[in-house]
Amino acid sequence: MPRRGEERLGDMWTSILLVWITCVPNASTALFVGHSNGSRDGSTAGLHGPGEGQRILSRAKRGWVWNQMFVLEEFSGPDPILVGRVTHTDSPYRFGCRNKNIKYILAGEGAGTIFAINERTGDIHAMKRLDREEKAEYTLTAQVINRDTNEPLEPPSEFIIKVQDINDNAPEFTHGPYHATVPEMSQVGRSVTKVTATDADDPVYGNSAKLVYSILEGQPYFSIDPNTAVIKIALHGMDREMREEYLVVIQAKDMGGHMGGLSGTATVTVTLTDVNDNPPKFSKSIYEFSIPEDLGLGKAGGRVKANDRDIGENARSTYSIIDGDEKDIFKITTDPETQEGILLLKKPLDFESKKSYTLKIEAANVGFDPQFSSGSPFRDTATVRVTVEDSDEPPVFSLASYLLQVHENTDVNTIIGQVSAQDPDAAASPIRYFIDRHTDLERQFNINVDDGKITLAKPLDRETDMWHNITVTATEVRNHSQISRAVVAIKVLDINDNAPEFSSDNEAFLCENGKPGQVIQTVSAIDKDDQRNGHFFIYSLVPEMSNNPNFTIKNNIDNSISVVAKHDAFRRQKQEMYFLPIVISDNGNPPLSSTNTLTIRVCGCSNDGAVQSCNVEAFVLPIGISMGALIAILACVILLLVIIVLYVTLRNHKNEPLIIKDEEDVRENIIRYDDEGGGEEDTEAFDIATLQNPDGVNSYLPRKDIKPDLQFIPRQGQDTGSNGVDADYLY
């Protein structure tokens, strides 16, 4: 403000000096009155030297003295504010006299609306209040013209009016409110965040836009650099577990922070982030659990918890058993949701063998920060005492599963094995044994309920079922709900109880045109019995056919035989089929044998030995008739038979007698007799053909013994009278 007063005083003296200059005679220049830093003068031109007998004439060229004008923003008053004055060499006030022919005009930015010029004096006034933040300067053009003719006396000249700034805008934080994070326990001086405020005032002119930052709220925890606005840690040992969030109020003040400056504020929310600076801590030093001895493997026997004041990953802990579990019965895991330690069973408990356990457990952080822990994670220990509770346990079999072996065809009620179980409890309840009949649907086995001996109930056949799997249950006598189960696998051992037999079809084909020594069929055998060293079969013909004139057998090295023809005189017309009994014996102990008959058919074959026909009827057909001709003949015969059947059917239908010719006449002619039948006399007295032929009524012959009455049934609608009709209608 003192500087601005000095400028206004200089402007006043400059105006006085300019007025004095304009009144000096022979002045050749005009001044632009305003805030001046320099001038631009016109020069005298077009001067002519004096001639003989002539008067010297001289003319001074009009010119402008230019400078910038300044006007304060936000200036308001009852009258327009004088910005400056434009003067010309032909000014109406030059030499102290008025020149009424000169007129000043103004054009450019804001001319006529914001700025106005006195057309006689050249004074420029600001008509409105100006705001530098909206527009900092205006470019205008001034010109002097002849008032009467409006002709320009000089070319237009351009000048600038600058709006001078005043401190009318407070600083603003455009990005607030702010949020920042910083780790807890940070060192003093660590940067937290930076804020920035802006001021719309002119940063060049004065101190209106020079900002200084300070903290209004948030001390002594934080500090701020007054020039850079960087917020820093100001207090050592800020602990998140004590206080997590801080609200800091920042002030930005212009005018360099001096009195009278404008200010703006912003809030910064500073959150302390967690670091691993706290160890896990068990809530109790000793935990006690009671676990029943029948608790299943993998089931939870208890939970422990080590609390950690940290959060997130810094609070994660792992649990372990470090002492007291020499038999490796327990294990402890971490619940990822609750961060609890879960005590689980790895092996079953036995109250009778050990009734209590004392375990030492440890909780340790997953990660660690070397700044707060010396080379290893934080950890804590506690003691867990486990008491085993006695439970009524089910019987325990001596083996988890049993394998028994028995030969097939063993006698019924033979003992094939035994199972045993006992009550592990101190009471030692007696045990009863049963077979689960769902696993023995055919009831092939029995068990003694007292001692568990398994016997055969039915004979076994290895060839039907080699294995039998049954389930045996053991139940306590004192508590029937305590049941245990064991699987008993019974393997049926083989004995030589099956004779060998042909492995495939027992039928062979022999060509008529075969040669002696031709192999008719290769025969092999199978045996249902199980021979670990393999089967060996002995083949032979039955004794009564040992000298068979037609066939013989030959042993092969692969446990099979070949049937060989002895001659080539086989003909279908002579004998179509031969039967060859073969005895097959095995090498079992004792050996078994069976007789199998090979059927040999004599067939017609092609030259290459392919069988074509094995039916003897094929030889009664004439030689030379092809198969196509045979089919045609058969079709003709069938067609002829169909025609004959149709003809006979139609003829019988045509000769069938017609019993009824006129249905209406039969209905209207009924013969009635009021006496009993005469037996054999009726056959002579009455002609039955009359009923069969209604036309024969006119030629009806009456009975010899009784005169019949012939009545006519009236048509529909006529009264029949009191006499009824007993005869049936004939259709």
Side-chain angles (χ1 to χ4, degrees):
M1 296 301 293
R3 180 179 177 183
R4 180 170 295 180
E6 294 175 358
E7 293 176 352
R8 289 180 180 271
L9 183 60
D11 293 342
M12 183 182 66
W13 284 107
T14 303
S15 300
I16 295 173
L17 180 62
L18 291 175
V19 172
W20 178 76
I21 293 175
T22 55
C23 294
V24 177
N26 300 324
S28 61
T29 61
L31 297 179
F32 199 130
V33 180
H35 300 284
S36 305
N37 292 323
S39 64
R40 187 175 60 191
D41 298 334
S43 60
T44 303
L47 297 178
H48 300 279
E52 185 180 349
Q54 294 182 347
R55 183 172 57 89
I56 299 175
L57 299 176
S58 63
R59 180 180 182 275
K61 183 179 180 181
R62 298 182 181 90
W64 299 90
V65 177
W66 295 109
N67 208 341
Q68 295 178 337
M69 293 184 182
F70 298 88
V71 60
L72 288 175
E73 67 169 335
E74 304 295 343
F75 182 83
S76 61
D79 299 323
I81 182 175
L82 177 64
V83 179
R85 175 181 295 173
V86 177
T87 352
H88 192 263
T89 54
D90 292 335
S91 171
Y93 293 99
R94 188 182 177 200
F95 309 120
C97 57
R98 290 176 60 88
N99 188 346
K100 299 182 178 180
N101 292 330
I102 294 177
K103 179 181 179 181
Y104 294 95
I105 60 175
L106 187 65
E109 296 177 336
T113 56
I114 299 177
F115 301 101
I117 189 170
N118 189 312
E119 61 182 16
R120 295 185 180 277
T121 64
D123 292 338
I124 300 175
H125 292 82
M127 308 301 293
K128 296 181 179 180
R129 185 169 61 180
L130 302 177
D131 187 358
R132 189 200 67 83
E133 286 71 40
E134 292 183 2
K135 190 170 180 63
E137 62 180 32
Y138 297 85
T139 301
L140 297 155
T141 301
Q143 190 176 21
V144 60
I145 62 174
N146 189 293
R147 181 181 297 276
D148 298 330
T149 63
N150 288 332
E151 293 182 358
L153 300 179
E154 289 292 340
S157 299
E158 187 179 88
F159 63 96
I160 296 174
I161 298 178
K162 288 190 174 182
V163 182
Q164 285 186 326
D165 183 50
I166 64 173
N167 189 20
D168 60 341
N169 290 278
E172 293 182 356
F173 291 90
T174 57
H175 298 91
Y178 297 88
H179 296 271
T181 58
V182 64
E184 62 174 333
M185 298 296 178
S186 295
Q187 297 295 326
V188 175
R190 176 167 179 168
S191 175
V192 178
T193 187
K194 180 180 180 180
V195 296
T196 303
T198 59
D199 195 319
D201 292 327
D202 189 358
V204 177
Y205 180 77
N207 294 324
S208 298
K210 184 177 181 181
L211 304 181
V212 174
Y213 298 90
S214 62
I215 291 181
L216 300 182
E217 293 182 20
Q219 295 174 333
Y221 307 104
F222 301 96
S223 63
I224 189 169
D225 188 290
N227 297 318
T228 62
V230 175
I231 301 174
K232 300 179 181 180
I233 296 291
L235 184 64
H236 177 73
M238 297 177 66
D239 191 358
R240 185 201 66 82
E241 287 73 33
M242 300 297 295
R243 182 177 177 182
E244 184 176 4
E245 191 173 271
Y246 296 84
L247 186 66
V248 182
V249 179
I250 305 298
Q251 175 184 266
K253 189 173 183 181
D254 60 12
M255 298 297 295
H258 295 100
M259 184 179 298
L262 303 178
S263 64
T265 60
T267 58
V268 181
T269 302
V270 180
T271 303
L272 299 183
T273 58
D274 187 57
V275 297
N276 193 1
D277 59 338
N278 292 283
K281 185 69 177 177
F282 283 104
S283 57
K284 297 187 296 184
S285 60
I286 298 177
Y287 294 85
E288 294 183 353
F289 301 112
S290 295
I291 302 177
E293 63 174 334
D294 59 353
L295 183 67
L297 299 183
K299 299 295 184 180
R303 287 174 175 258
V304 297
K305 178 66 180 294
N307 298 310
D308 195 322
R309 298 179 64 193
D310 296 324
I311 59 175
E313 286 293 317
N314 296 323
R316 287 185 57 198
S317 298
T318 58
Y319 298 86
S320 59
I321 300 174
I322 59 177
D323 192 18
D325 189 24
E326 293 79 8
K327 295 184 178 180
D328 197 24
I329 295 177
F330 302 94
K331 70 176 180 179
I332 190 167
T333 60
T334 304
D335 188 330
E337 298 294 332
T338 63
Q339 290 297 307
E340 292 179 312
I342 306 174
L343 188 65
L344 305 174
L345 283 183
K346 293 175 62 178
K347 296 179 181 179
L349 298 174
D350 187 7
F351 174 82
E352 288 71 28
S353 61
K354 191 170 184 178
K355 297 178 175 59
S356 65
Y357 297 87
T358 301
L359 309 176
K360 186 176 182 181
I361 61 174
E362 179 185 75
N365 280 151
V366 174
F368 70 96
D369 192 336
Q371 182 181 352
F372 305 103
S373 59
S374 57
S376 62
F378 291 120
R379 61 187 70 244
D380 191 23
T381 60
T383 300
V384 176
R385 294 175 180 173
V386 178
T387 301
V388 181
E389 296 179 350
D390 189 21
S391 300
D392 190 4
E393 299 176 88
V396 178
F397 280 95
S398 59
L399 297 174
S401 61
Y402 295 84
L403 175 62
L404 305 180
Q405 293 181 343
V406 58
H407 285 89
E408 60 178 334
N409 296 333
T410 299
D411 295 337
V412 175
N413 295 327
T414 300
I415 298 175
I416 63 175
Q418 184 179 12
V419 297
S420 63
Q422 61 181 359
D423 185 6
D425 299 323
S429 173
I431 307 298
R432 294 291 180 264
Y433 302 93
F434 303 93
I435 294 178
D436 185 353
R437 293 303 177 182
H438 292 91
T439 61
D440 185 25
L441 297 176
E442 297 182 0
R443 295 182 175 270
Q444 293 181 309
F445 305 95
N446 290 325
I447 190 170
N448 189 297
V449 296
D450 296 321
D451 57 14
K453 292 181 179 179
I454 301 174
T455 58
L456 282 180
K458 294 180 180 180
L460 301 178
D461 185 6
R462 189 202 67 86
E463 287 71 37
T464 302
D465 288 308
M466 183 183 298
W467 286 94
H468 297 270
N469 295 314
I470 62 174
T471 300
V472 175
T473 62
T475 306
E476 291 184 8
V477 174
R478 298 173 185 174
N479 187 356
H480 297 294
S481 63
Q482 296 297 332
I483 302 175
S484 295
R485 290 175 170 81
V487 176
V488 180
I490 302 172
K491 182 179 181 181
V492 182
L493 302 179
D494 185 52
I495 63 173
N496 191 24
D497 59 344
N498 291 278
E501 58 187 13
F502 283 156
S503 61
S504 58
D505 295 338
N506 56 353
E507 187 176 23
F509 300 94
L510 172 63
C511 293
E512 288 181 313
N513 55 357
K515 297 179 180 180
Q518 176 184 356
V519 176
I520 301 172
Q521 181 78 5
T522 298
V523 177
S524 61
I526 58 173
D527 195 327
K528 295 180 180 179
D529 293 324
D530 181 21
Q531 294 292 334
R532 296 185 178 181
N533 297 325
H535 292 285
F536 178 75
F537 301 114
I538 300 173
Y539 301 87
S540 62
L541 297 177
V542 295
E544 57 269 21
M545 297 188 66
S546 58
N547 295 322
N548 191 302
N550 299 313
F551 307 99
T552 185
I553 60 175
K554 182 179 66 174
N555 289 315
N556 299 325
I557 60 175
D558 58 353
N559 214 17
S560 65
I561 61 170
S562 298
V563 180
V564 181
K566 287 186 174 182
H567 58 82
D568 58 355
F570 298 99
R571 296 293 181 269
R572 281 179 289 175
Q573 295 88 343
K574 180 179 179 182
Q575 186 174 347
E576 181 184 4
M577 191 178 301
Y578 295 88
F579 300 97
L580 183 64
I582 300 175
V583 178
I584 307 175
S585 302
D586 61 17
N587 58 340
N589 185 20
L592 296 179
S593 63
S594 65
T595 301
N596 300 264
T597 301
L598 180 65
T599 302
I600 303 174
R601 292 182 177 273
V602 181
C603 302
C605 302
S606 62
N607 294 331
D608 55 358
V611 177
Q612 291 182 334
S613 175
C614 297
N615 296 324
V616 68
E617 290 79 7
F619 288 91
V620 302
L621 294 176
I623 299 176
I625 298 179
S626 64
M627 184 61 67
L630 181 62
I631 294 174
I633 294 173
L634 182 60
C636 292
V637 171
I638 293 174
L639 181 60
L640 182 60
L641 291 175
V642 171
I643 293 173
I644 293 173
V645 171
L646 290 175
Y647 175 77
V648 173
T649 302
L650 293 175
R651 182 176 181 83
N652 292 338
H653 182 71
K654 182 177 181 181
N655 293 334
E656 184 178 358
L658 299 176
I659 299 176
I660 301 173
K661 292 185 177 180
D662 191 353
E663 182 179 358
E664 184 177 355
D665 292 341
V666 173
R667 290 183 182 180
E668 294 180 354
N669 294 275
I670 297 176
I671 299 174
R672 178 186 177 192
Y673 292 91
D674 291 330
D675 60 332
E676 296 180 357
E680 294 180 354
E681 295 180 355
D682 285 346
T683 59
E684 298 178 357
F686 181 75
D687 189 2
I688 195 64
T690 303
L691 290 177
Q692 296 179 348
N693 187 6
D695 294 338
V697 175
N698 296 330
S699 60
Y700 171 71
L701 295 177
R703 291 182 59 177
K704 296 178 181 181
D705 54 347
I706 296 176
K707 181 178 179 181
D709 293 334
L710 182 62
Q711 297 180 355
F712 292 91
I713 300 300
R715 296 181 182 271
Q716 187 175 1
Q718 295 180 356
D719 188 9
T720 59
S722 60
N723 295 328
V725 178
D726 296 332
D728 293 332
Y729 286 101
L730 298 178
Y731 294 97

PDB file of all heavy atoms in Angstrom, residues 71-72 79-83 113-116 124-130:
ATOM      1  N   VAL A  71      -5.364   1.317 -14.304  1.00  0.00           N
ATOM      2  CA  VAL A  71      -6.553   1.600 -13.533  1.00  0.00           C
ATOM      3  C   VAL A  71      -6.706   0.497 -12.491  1.00  0.00           C
ATOM      4  O   VAL A  71      -6.453  -0.683 -12.769  1.00  0.00           O
ATOM      5  CB  VAL A  71      -7.813   1.686 -14.423  1.00  0.00           C
ATOM      6  CG1 VAL A  71      -8.052   0.396 -15.164  1.00  0.00           C
ATOM      7  CG2 VAL A  71      -9.031   2.081 -13.587  1.00  0.00           C
ATOM      8  N   LEU A  72      -7.075   0.870 -11.271  1.00  0.00           N
ATOM      9  CA  LEU A  72      -7.224  -0.107 -10.195  1.00  0.00           C
ATOM     10  C   LEU A  72      -8.507  -0.921 -10.391  1.00  0.00           C
ATOM     11  O   LEU A  72      -9.558  -0.368 -10.746  1.00  0.00           O
ATOM     12  CB  LEU A  72      -7.266   0.596  -8.838  1.00  0.00           C
ATOM     13  CG  LEU A  72      -5.951   1.182  -8.332  1.00  0.00           C
ATOM     14  CD1 LEU A  72      -6.191   1.943  -7.037  1.00  0.00           C
ATOM     15  CD2 LEU A  72      -4.931   0.087  -8.108  1.00  0.00           C
ATOM     16  N   ASP A  79     -18.692   8.644  -9.143  1.00  0.00           N
ATOM     17  CA  ASP A  79     -18.384   9.144 -10.481  1.00  0.00           C
ATOM     18  C   ASP A  79     -17.441   8.196 -11.183  1.00  0.00           C
ATOM     19  O   ASP A  79     -16.693   7.446 -10.543  1.00  0.00           O
ATOM     20  CB  ASP A  79     -17.722  10.537 -10.382  1.00  0.00           C
ATOM     21  CG  ASP A  79     -18.644  11.558  -9.721  1.00  0.00           C
ATOM     22  OD1 ASP A  79     -19.872  11.473  -9.973  1.00  0.00           O
ATOM     23  OD2 ASP A  79     -18.137  12.378  -8.932  1.00  0.00           O
ATOM     24  N   PRO A  80     -17.473   8.219 -12.513  1.00  0.00           N
ATOM     25  CA  PRO A  80     -16.504   7.398 -13.251  1.00  0.00           C
ATOM     26  C   PRO A  80     -15.081   7.814 -12.879  1.00  0.00           C
ATOM     27  O   PRO A  80     -14.790   8.989 -12.638  1.00  0.00           O
ATOM     28  CB  PRO A  80     -16.815   7.698 -14.716  1.00  0.00           C
ATOM     29  CG  PRO A  80     -18.232   8.189 -14.711  1.00  0.00           C
ATOM     30  CD  PRO A  80     -18.418   8.925 -13.423  1.00  0.00           C
ATOM     31  N   ILE A  81     -14.175   6.813 -12.896  1.00  0.00           N
ATOM     32  CA  ILE A  81     -12.796   7.057 -12.522  1.00  0.00           C
ATOM     33  C   ILE A  81     -12.001   7.495 -13.738  1.00  0.00           C
ATOM     34  O   ILE A  81     -12.159   6.943 -14.833  1.00  0.00           O
ATOM     35  CB  ILE A  81     -12.172   5.804 -11.881  1.00  0.00           C
ATOM     36  CG1 ILE A  81     -10.738   6.091 -11.442  1.00  0.00           C
ATOM     37  CG2 ILE A  81     -12.252   4.613 -12.806  1.00  0.00           C
ATOM     38  CD1 ILE A  81     -10.100   4.928 -10.684  1.00  0.00           C
ATOM     39  N   LEU A  82     -11.183   8.540 -13.559  1.00  0.00           N
ATOM     40  CA  LEU A  82     -10.347   9.040 -14.641  1.00  0.00           C
ATOM     41  C   LEU A  82      -9.168   8.106 -14.821  1.00  0.00           C
ATOM     42  O   LEU A  82      -8.397   7.874 -13.892  1.00  0.00           O
ATOM     43  CB  LEU A  82      -9.854  10.450 -14.340  1.00  0.00           C
ATOM     44  CG  LEU A  82      -8.901  11.058 -15.371  1.00  0.00           C
ATOM     45  CD1 LEU A  82      -9.594  11.242 -16.721  1.00  0.00           C
ATOM     46  CD2 LEU A  82      -8.354  12.389 -14.853  1.00  0.00           C
ATOM     47  N   VAL A  83      -9.053   7.603 -16.042  1.00  0.00           N
ATOM     48  CA  VAL A  83      -7.953   6.711 -16.345  1.00  0.00           C
ATOM     49  C   VAL A  83      -6.758   7.507 -16.861  1.00  0.00           C
ATOM     50  O   VAL A  83      -5.607   7.276 -16.473  1.00  0.00           O
ATOM     51  CB  VAL A  83      -8.382   5.646 -17.375  1.00  0.00           C
ATOM     52  CG1 VAL A  83      -7.218   4.729 -17.721  1.00  0.00           C
ATOM     53  CG2 VAL A  83      -9.559   4.849 -16.857  1.00  0.00           C
ATOM     54  N   THR A 113     -18.526   1.120 -23.646  1.00  0.00           N
ATOM     55  CA  THR A 113     -19.235   0.392 -22.594  1.00  0.00           C
ATOM     56  C   THR A 113     -18.477   0.443 -21.283  1.00  0.00           C
ATOM     57  O   THR A 113     -19.018   0.812 -20.245  1.00  0.00           O
ATOM     58  CB  THR A 113     -19.425  -1.066 -23.012  1.00  0.00           C
ATOM     59  OG1 THR A 113     -18.149  -1.638 -23.309  1.00  0.00           O
ATOM     60  CG2 THR A 113     -20.321  -1.173 -24.229  1.00  0.00           C
ATOM     61  N   ILE A 114     -17.193   0.060 -21.356  1.00  0.00           N
ATOM     62  CA  ILE A 114     -16.384   0.099 -20.146  1.00  0.00           C
ATOM     63  C   ILE A 114     -15.619   1.422 -20.063  1.00  0.00           C
ATOM     64  O   ILE A 114     -15.517   2.036 -19.002  1.00  0.00           O
ATOM     65  CB  ILE A 114     -15.417  -1.089 -20.131  1.00  0.00           C
ATOM     66  CG1 ILE A 114     -16.208  -2.411 -20.136  1.00  0.00           C
ATOM     67  CG2 ILE A 114     -14.499  -1.028 -18.923  1.00  0.00           C
ATOM     68  CD1 ILE A 114     -15.324  -3.634 -20.204  1.00  0.00           C
ATOM     69  N   PHE A 115     -15.096   1.872 -21.196  1.00  0.00           N
ATOM     70  CA  PHE A 115     -14.324   3.105 -21.234  1.00  0.00           C
ATOM     71  C   PHE A 115     -15.038   4.119 -22.125  1.00  0.00           C
ATOM     72  O   PHE A 115     -15.630   3.747 -23.156  1.00  0.00           O
ATOM     73  CB  PHE A 115     -12.913   2.841 -21.779  1.00  0.00           C
ATOM     74  CG  PHE A 115     -12.137   1.840 -20.954  1.00  0.00           C
ATOM     75  CD1 PHE A 115     -11.999   0.523 -21.361  1.00  0.00           C
ATOM     76  CD2 PHE A 115     -11.549   2.236 -19.764  1.00  0.00           C
ATOM     77  CE1 PHE A 115     -11.286  -0.384 -20.608  1.00  0.00           C
ATOM     78  CE2 PHE A 115     -10.824   1.319 -19.011  1.00  0.00           C
ATOM     79  CZ  PHE A 115     -10.703   0.007 -19.421  1.00  0.00           C
ATOM     80  N   ALA A 116     -14.945   5.391 -21.752  1.00  0.00           N
ATOM     81  CA  ALA A 116     -15.521   6.498 -22.528  1.00  0.00           C
ATOM     82  C   ALA A 116     -14.498   7.637 -22.591  1.00  0.00           C
ATOM     83  O   ALA A 116     -13.719   7.843 -21.646  1.00  0.00           O
ATOM     84  CB  ALA A 116     -16.824   6.973 -21.891  1.00  0.00           C
ATOM     85  N   ILE A 124     -10.140  10.036 -20.606  1.00  0.00           N
ATOM     86  CA  ILE A 124     -10.676   8.668 -20.676  1.00  0.00           C
ATOM     87  C   ILE A 124     -11.102   8.254 -19.278  1.00  0.00           C
ATOM     88  O   ILE A 124     -10.316   8.342 -18.327  1.00  0.00           O
ATOM     89  CB  ILE A 124      -9.648   7.687 -21.237  1.00  0.00           C
ATOM     90  CG1 ILE A 124      -9.230   8.091 -22.648  1.00  0.00           C
ATOM     91  CG2 ILE A 124     -10.195   6.248 -21.235  1.00  0.00           C
ATOM     92  CD1 ILE A 124      -8.127   7.245 -23.227  1.00  0.00           C
ATOM     93  N   HIS A 125     -12.358   7.796 -19.137  1.00  0.00           N
ATOM     94  CA  HIS A 125     -12.905   7.382 -17.855  1.00  0.00           C
ATOM     95  C   HIS A 125     -13.335   5.908 -17.918  1.00  0.00           C
ATOM     96  O   HIS A 125     -13.754   5.434 -18.976  1.00  0.00           O
ATOM     97  CB  HIS A 125     -14.125   8.250 -17.477  1.00  0.00           C
ATOM     98  CG  HIS A 125     -13.768   9.673 -17.181  1.00  0.00           C
ATOM     99  ND1 HIS A 125     -13.577  10.637 -18.187  1.00  0.00           N
ATOM    100  CD2 HIS A 125     -13.549  10.313 -15.996  1.00  0.00           C
ATOM    101  CE1 HIS A 125     -13.282  11.801 -17.634  1.00  0.00           C
ATOM    102  NE2 HIS A 125     -13.258  11.632 -16.289  1.00  0.00           N
ATOM    103  N   ALA A 126     -13.194   5.253 -16.777  1.00  0.00           N
ATOM    104  CA  ALA A 126     -13.727   3.876 -16.625  1.00  0.00           C
ATOM    105  C   ALA A 126     -15.138   3.982 -16.090  1.00  0.00           C
ATOM    106  O   ALA A 126     -15.365   4.536 -15.005  1.00  0.00           O
ATOM    107  CB  ALA A 126     -12.849   3.059 -15.683  1.00  0.00           C
ATOM    108  N   MET A 127     -16.095   3.430 -16.837  1.00  0.00           N
ATOM    109  CA  MET A 127     -17.501   3.583 -16.493  1.00  0.00           C
ATOM    110  C   MET A 127     -17.988   2.468 -15.560  1.00  0.00           C
ATOM    111  O   MET A 127     -19.029   2.621 -14.928  1.00  0.00           O
ATOM    112  CB  MET A 127     -18.339   3.571 -17.771  1.00  0.00           C
ATOM    113  CG  MET A 127     -17.855   4.553 -18.833  1.00  0.00           C
ATOM    114  SD  MET A 127     -17.846   6.274 -18.262  1.00  0.00           S
ATOM    115  CE  MET A 127     -19.590   6.568 -18.074  1.00  0.00           C
ATOM    116  N   LYS A 128     -17.256   1.346 -15.496  1.00  0.00           N
ATOM    117  CA  LYS A 128     -17.678   0.214 -14.671  1.00  0.00           C
ATOM    118  C   LYS A 128     -16.538  -0.228 -13.771  1.00  0.00           C
ATOM    119  O   LYS A 128     -15.383   0.089 -14.017  1.00  0.00           O
ATOM    120  CB  LYS A 128     -18.102  -0.977 -15.554  1.00  0.00           C
ATOM    121  CG  LYS A 128     -19.317  -0.700 -16.409  1.00  0.00           C
ATOM    122  CD  LYS A 128     -19.665  -1.948 -17.231  1.00  0.00           C
ATOM    123  CE  LYS A 128     -20.896  -1.696 -18.091  1.00  0.00           C
ATOM    124  NZ  LYS A 128     -21.248  -2.892 -18.893  1.00  0.00           N
ATOM    125  N   ARG A 129     -16.942  -1.026 -12.751  1.00  0.00           N
ATOM    126  CA  ARG A 129     -15.928  -1.595 -11.875  1.00  0.00           C
ATOM    127  C   ARG A 129     -15.235  -2.746 -12.605  1.00  0.00           C
ATOM    128  O   ARG A 129     -15.896  -3.614 -13.183  1.00  0.00           O
ATOM    129  CB  ARG A 129     -16.580  -2.100 -10.585  1.00  0.00           C
ATOM    130  CG  ARG A 129     -15.568  -2.603  -9.578  1.00  0.00           C
ATOM    131  CD  ARG A 129     -16.215  -2.847  -8.244  1.00  0.00           C
ATOM    132  NE  ARG A 129     -17.256  -3.867  -8.332  1.00  0.00           N
ATOM    133  CZ  ARG A 129     -17.988  -4.266  -7.292  1.00  0.00           C
ATOM    134  NH1 ARG A 129     -17.804  -3.696  -6.105  1.00  0.00           N
ATOM    135  NH2 ARG A 129     -18.904  -5.187  -7.453  1.00  0.00           N
ATOM    136  N   LEU A 130     -13.918  -2.765 -12.575  1.00  0.00           N
ATOM    137  CA  LEU A 130     -13.140  -3.748 -13.325  1.00  0.00           C
ATOM    138  C   LEU A 130     -12.619  -4.845 -12.393  1.00  0.00           C
ATOM    139  O   LEU A 130     -12.381  -4.605 -11.205  1.00  0.00           O
ATOM    140  CB  LEU A 130     -11.964  -3.066 -14.036  1.00  0.00           C
ATOM    141  CG  LEU A 130     -12.337  -1.933 -15.002  1.00  0.00           C
ATOM    142  CD1 LEU A 130     -11.090  -1.306 -15.582  1.00  0.00           C
ATOM    143  CD2 LEU A 130     -13.243  -2.448 -16.117  1.00  0.00           C
TER     144      LEU A 130
END
